[in-house]
Amino acid sequence: MAARLKVAVLISGRGSNLQALLDACADPAFPVEIALVISNIADAYGLERAKKAGVATQVIPHKGFPSREAFDAALDEAIRASGAELVCLAGFMRLLTKGFSEAWAGRMINIHPSLLPSFKGLHTHQRAIEAGVKLHGCSVHFVTPDLDDGPLIAQAAVPVLPADTEDSLAQRVLACEHQLYPMALRLIAEGRCKIEQGVVKIDGHAGGEQSILSPAG
Ligand code: GRF
């Protein structure tokens, strides 16, 4: 069997997306192995999830560093030491420096709870309700120095229902995130994603299918 792609997952909190990745990687046929989970928050629940799955964890508290550059240098060192070739951000609540983002360009991905480029940043579900959009969702994208701005790999859409609250909409999107993130990670591990002029092309997907992947498809 071909070697599995080693990844590091960066978290700050509950880690439900991390759990989706751990569950996917528990299948020996899944082409990815999680080498390390890093949290900047010592009591992030995601760390427990990683330990339960037998995956190495490391806490790197951002508060212990004099600058963003110094914190990112510590992240970089830990990731490289783990042997990870790809970084997955999964609810990691720190802005990354330009230097770090550029060092991992094309090798770092993020999941964001909106249909980018709409609703970058925080409070995406409330903002989607207030904007009156009828479709909302989540996106997996390559990370670039600008927040929530890199080439899109996969997206999943959900309806916004008239009675939705921020919480009900968040739950519907989160269920999609848990399917979409492993799906996107598999595409990368299989070497099927290429960035051409800022746009991700996916081998094996014909025409328009490549811009939106439904979790069911
Ligand atoms: C998710 O909604 C993800 O899209 C966003 O942060 C949240 C993290 O949730 N980037 P969890 O820690 O994975 O449960």
Side-chain angles (χ1 to χ4, degrees):
M1 194 192 290
R4 302 169 92 194
L5 179 74
K6 284 190 174 187
V7 306
V9 184
L10 273 52
I11 62 165
S12 297
R14 77 188 154 180
S16 69
N17 278 290
L18 165 66
Q19 187 68 57
L21 299 181
L22 289 166
D23 292 346
C25 294
D27 177 354
F30 192 75
V32 177
E33 170 188 343
I34 301 178
L36 180 65
V37 171
I38 298 175
S39 173
N40 64 313
I41 304 290
D43 62 357
Y45 181 63
L47 290 168
E48 304 307 316
R49 299 179 187 268
K51 286 175 194 159
K52 209 169 163 195
V55 169
T57 61
Q58 191 167 338
V59 177
I60 305 181
H62 60 276
K63 286 187 177 154
F65 292 88
S67 64
R68 286 191 186 276
E69 284 72 19
F71 173 64
D72 285 4
L75 285 181
D76 189 71
E77 194 182 330
I79 295 164
R80 287 179 198 279
S82 76
E85 302 144 279
L86 181 85
V87 177
C88 300
L89 306 180
F92 184 65
M93 301 303 286
R94 298 296 300 168
L95 292 175
L96 296 164
T97 56
K98 191 163 182 271
F100 183 89
S101 302
E102 286 176 354
W104 289 91
R107 298 181 300 145
M108 177 157 58
I109 61 176
N110 179 46
I111 185 152
H112 181 77
S114 78
L115 290 174
L116 290 171
S118 293
F119 310 119
K120 296 176 180 179
L122 298 174
H123 311 300
T124 56
H125 308 305
Q126 186 59 34
R127 287 160 58 210
I129 290 171
E130 283 167 10
V133 296
K134 307 304 175 207
L135 284 175
H136 184 44
C138 51
S139 307
V140 178
H141 64 95
F142 284 105
V143 175
T144 54
D146 293 325
L147 182 70
D148 301 328
D149 197 49
L152 294 164
I153 300 161
Q155 296 186 298
V158 301
V160 180
L161 303 177
D164 265 332
T165 61
E166 183 177 12
D167 281 353
S168 65
L169 185 55
Q171 274 180 35
R172 192 174 307 120
V173 172
L174 196 62
C176 282
E177 293 184 38
H178 297 161
Q179 295 178 67
L180 194 71
Y181 212 0
M183 177 192 283
L185 186 52
R186 174 190 279 279
L187 290 174
I188 293 172
E190 290 175 345
R192 292 171 59 195
C193 295
K194 285 188 193 67
I195 305 174
E196 287 174 18
Q197 289 163 347
V199 173
V200 176
K201 306 283 182 189
I202 299 173
D203 284 351
H205 272 272
E209 283 174 54
Q210 69 193 12
S211 53
I212 293 191
L213 296 178
S214 114

